[in-house]
Amino acid sequence: MSTRPRRTCLTVPASSPHMLEKAASLPADEVVVDLEDGVAVEAKESARDNLGLAKARGILAIRINGLATPWWRDDLAAAVAARPDVVVLPKAETADEVAEFIAQLPVGIGLEVMVETARGLVEVERIAALGGPLEALVFGPGDFGATLGVPVLTIGEGSWDYALARISVAAHAFGLQPIDGPYAALDDEDGLRASARDALVHGFEGKWVVHPSQIEPVCEVFTPTAFEVERARAILAAADGASRVDGAMVDLASKRLAERVLARAEG
């Protein structure tokens, strides 16, 4: 599994040099420079020209346009020239098309695949099994909801338990990181935190954010509290076999859970 932390992944349109410059100094674990949905059709070419301005304190990712569009080849060439850590492939629908894309990705550049359609979800295990440069599976609730006809108008709203669970299981089964998509209601921090917690309890390791103000609350959700860390250490210190800690029975499975909590705290 990739050890790069992805608690907060800030998306930034490549069409805005100002936003690219600002993103370079922000404390997001990953900056996702977007050539896809965040860029108008008439700005696609000029956005590629801005990729050389992209920088990040952590992971630098570039999201290209999907394989069904006429732009993805030019996007990939421009992205490779910008030397990002990873390329993000949106709207992946079959393992075969992802495998063909991987064959064109230079060695040394990682890959994140977005699951954003009903077809992509039913293929997610085969996609996850491809391995190679694949580091993460990213859930895209907006486009996914549209493919299902879910009656919501704000990206990230709605109930996604089945999709989250299936993506998480597929990712962990093959050593990948499951990452949740954005919550687009910018003035609803409670809703943002609830969305992030929902992803966390499904085993997700981070979430996309669409505004700098969302970085801190999402990072807090995906970072264990001092109480959780203290309790995890107490569980690990308990005697082997079944024992009692803070009124709860703990055993070897409890210690495995505690190890994962501490791993998140150290990330």
Side-chain angles (χ1 to χ4, degrees):
M1 180 179 292
S2 169
T3 58
R4 310 192 220 211
R6 287 182 166 92
R7 294 164 300 185
T8 53
C9 305
L10 175 66
T11 62
V12 184
S15 53
S16 173
H18 171 70
M19 291 185 182
L20 291 174
E21 180 180 2
K22 183 176 181 179
S25 64
L26 294 173
D29 291 328
E30 177 172 291
V31 171
V32 183
V33 180
D34 190 20
L35 292 170
E36 198 215 13
D37 288 351
V39 176
V41 171
E42 61 271 16
K44 297 288 188 187
E45 186 171 347
S46 60
R48 292 187 203 106
D49 294 337
N50 293 334
L51 293 181
L53 304 174
K55 292 180 176 59
R57 288 172 56 176
I59 302 166
L60 177 62
I62 296 176
R63 177 167 74 163
I64 67 172
N65 283 276
L67 300 179
T69 73
W71 305 298
W72 76 267
R73 293 183 187 278
D74 289 339
D75 287 351
L76 180 59
V80 169
R83 301 178 65 83
D85 297 300
V86 296
V87 167
V88 181
L89 179 64
K91 299 179 179 65
E93 295 211 311
T94 71
D96 289 343
E97 70 179 14
V98 176
E100 291 178 6
F101 180 79
I102 287 174
Q104 301 179 62
L105 193 65
V107 174
I109 296 180
L111 177 64
E112 299 176 20
V113 169
M114 300 195 71
V115 180
E116 302 184 86
T117 66
R119 177 73 185 278
L121 186 62
V122 301
E123 285 269 316
V124 69
E125 293 85 7
R126 293 185 63 224
I127 292 171
L130 291 172
L134 190 53
E135 296 186 12
L137 299 177
V138 182
F139 178 50
D143 283 297
F144 185 79
T147 67
L148 268 60
V150 175
V152 297
L153 294 174
T154 300
I155 294 171
E157 290 185 349
S159 178
W160 311 112
D161 287 345
Y162 175 71
L164 291 173
R166 187 161 178 179
I167 292 168
S168 181
V169 170
H172 287 292
F174 293 99
L176 309 177
Q177 291 174 299
I179 306 297
D180 193 22
Y183 183 80
L186 299 181
D187 298 323
D188 182 11
E189 184 175 317
D190 289 342
L192 172 68
R193 287 179 178 271
S195 178
R197 281 193 295 270
D198 194 29
L200 175 63
V201 299
H202 281 88
F204 277 63
E205 299 186 16
K207 184 174 181 66
W208 280 25
V209 296
V210 294
H211 191 274
S213 65
Q214 294 184 329
I215 295 174
E216 183 176 352
V218 169
C219 187
E220 287 179 0
V221 170
F222 284 96
T223 302
T225 65
F227 172 77
E228 290 170 331
V229 170
E230 181 180 358
R231 186 158 187 264
R233 287 174 175 160
I235 290 171
L236 289 176
D240 289 339
S243 59
R244 180 176 177 137
V245 174
D246 296 331
M249 187 280 291
V250 301
D251 60 10
L252 186 56
S254 306
K255 292 189 175 187
R256 295 190 186 103
L257 291 170
E259 288 170 351
R260 293 302 296 264
V261 168
L262 294 181
R264 284 197 295 113
E266 293 167 1

